[in-house]
Amino acid sequence: MLRTSFVISAAHPSLPGHFPGCPITPGVITLDHVVRGLTGQLPGACLDGLPQVKFVRPLLPDVEITVSYKFKSETLYQFSCENNGEVFLSGQIR
């Protein structure tokens, strides 16, 4: 199993306009970190798709997320994004 972690800073430029007064991290920003976390550990790998993604709860700024990647097949990884045992996002990367 592969793991990585990331934090989206409250100073990230996408946050002020994404629900003013109660900023949450846009899904595309979170997914970018998930994809880069896996491809950074697999030299030469490239993204072919995200066949399944489920956003479970909003990701607030300055929350450390641990991403776990589980090998499912030669071209498929299952991922889960968590903080203190709470799942924020899960899915598959091809």
Side-chain angles (χ1 to χ4, degrees):
M1 184 177 300
L2 301 173
R3 291 186 192 275
T4 190
S5 63
F6 67 89
V7 175
I8 306 297
S9 166
H12 192 281
S14 71
L15 294 178
H18 206 256
F19 300 107
C22 185
I24 64 169
T25 304
V28 68
I29 303 296
T30 306
L31 288 173
D32 182 56
H33 281 275
V34 169
V35 169
R36 284 190 290 143
L38 181 60
T39 57
Q41 295 184 64
L42 300 173
C46 60
L47 175 68
D48 185 40
L50 295 159
Q52 180 186 31
V53 174
K54 181 172 184 169
F55 291 89
V56 179
R57 60 180 31 93
L59 177 57
L60 301 176
D62 297 324
V63 173
E64 183 175 13
I65 293 294
T66 299
V67 188
S68 301
Y69 305 92
K70 184 176 179 183
F71 179 80
K72 298 300 276 182
S73 72
E74 189 171 321
T75 60
L76 189 67
Y77 278 83
Q78 186 82 28
F79 70 86
S80 179
C81 299
E82 301 181 15
N83 175 273
N84 292 325
E86 288 187 275
V87 175
F88 284 77
L89 171 67
S90 63
Q92 298 176 338
I93 298 176
R94 182 177 42 236

